[in-house]
Every structure is written in C-alpha cells, then in structure tokens.
Amino acid sequence: MRVLRLAKESAVKARTQAKNQLKAVLLGVDPALREALSTLSNTALIARCADLADAGDAAVFTLRLLARRIQQLTAEVKELTRRVSKAVHRCHPQLLDIIGVGPDSAAALLIAAGDNPERLASEASFAALCGVSPVEQSSGKTQRRRLDRGGTGKPTPPSTASS
C-alpha cells in the first residue's frame, strides 16, 4: 500500500507540473490558436491540445506532447487510486464506510498503524505514533505545551544562524 501511495503522489505531482508547463507554452503560441484555446476548460484544453495536427511548429508539438503526457498520467492516477482502494478494502473494508474517509486517508491511517494495529488502543496512542501528542513544557508561571516529535523529550535548542 505504501508503494502504491508513493507512485500515486509522484504521478499527481508530475501531472500538475505538466499542466503548468502546458499553460506556460500556451502563452507563446500563435495568438489565433491561443485565443481559440483560452475559452476551454482544462479537460477540454488537454483533449484539444492532444489532437493538434503537427504543422512543424515547435510550440504546437510541445502542446501536443504535454497534453498526451497529462492524459497518460491521469490514467495512471486513476489506476493507482483503484489499486489503493482495493488494497484498503482487503485490509480493513469497514474503514471506507466511515463518512469522510476515502481511499487515500484510509491508506494513510493503515500505513501509520503498520502491521500492529492492536498497539493503537486509543486516540492518544495514535497521536503519539504520529508525533502530534502534546507534551508539557512549562516552567515557573508559564504554562505551555509542544508537540512530541519522538525525540529525547528535551526541547530542541534554537538555531544559531550567523550572518
């Protein structure tokens, strides 16, 4: 499940980067083509750019290449989402029945729990596992807490950056 999530996050990041590049290249194409494409939604823009004819123009070729890459990455993200959902359903099917818990958050919870879910007897133990349990850091009249990041229990000294 961990490797599927890693692959999905990578594909989503690459798809976002390709979309940003497509929009940047769109600024440098022939004004008539840019005007024709500017009114389209993202999905329609990508489909239209993927079907552009090769007229020997480098910008048009790049638009087509990026649009096809986006389509391929979108298909990859859908397949990875399907596989993550299937893995979550195999491990803990009732987790997906909870309102607000989708395949991604369910997978994150299962990965955090690891192979020993019985060690998570309470919300506090889960918070400690994730490194977000509050720890008293009071002195004298000052009452404050910090998050326990699983270190030695001592606060980390302030950084001394010299300029």
Side-chain angles (χ1 to χ4, degrees):
M1 198 173 314
R2 183 175 281 124
V3 293
L4 290 173
R5 281 197 67 225
L6 175 75
K8 181 181 174 187
E9 289 170 8
S10 173
V12 168
K13 188 183 256 186
R15 181 178 63 181
T16 301
Q17 184 178 22
K19 283 181 182 179
N20 291 339
Q21 290 170 341
L22 185 130
K23 299 251 178 161
V25 170
L26 193 57
L27 297 174
V29 298
D30 178 49
L33 178 60
R34 183 174 58 240
E35 287 299 319
L37 297 174
S38 66
T39 60
L40 300 174
S41 67
N42 281 345
T43 306
L45 173 67
I46 292 164
R48 180 88 179 269
C49 288
D51 292 336
L52 287 173
D54 188 9
D57 184 13
V60 171
F61 172 77
T62 304
L63 283 174
R64 190 174 71 236
L65 182 76
L66 289 169
R68 290 179 180 174
R69 181 179 301 160
I70 293 166
Q71 288 174 333
Q72 179 185 2
L73 288 167
T74 298
E76 194 174 305
V77 167
K78 284 181 182 177
E79 175 63 19
L80 288 164
T81 300
R82 188 186 67 75
R83 288 178 181 254
V84 167
S85 297
K86 193 174 178 180
V88 168
H89 192 70
R90 258 195 329 266
C91 293
H92 205 283
Q94 60 271 35
L95 194 56
L96 293 173
D97 295 336
I98 299 171
I99 295 173
V101 177
D104 291 331
S105 52
L109 287 169
L110 290 171
I111 289 168
D115 293 333
N116 306 320
E118 63 276 355
R119 69 183 173 172
L120 302 176
S122 67
E123 288 182 21
S125 62
F126 183 69
L129 176 70
C130 295
V132 294
S133 58
V135 175
E136 286 290 329
Q137 191 180 15
S138 304
S139 64
K141 294 181 182 179
T142 305
Q143 296 287 322
R144 61 181 178 200
R145 293 182 176 86
R146 66 174 176 81
L147 294 181
D148 182 14
R149 297 296 184 186
T152 60
K154 299 177 187 172
T156 55
S159 63
T160 53
S162 59
S163 27

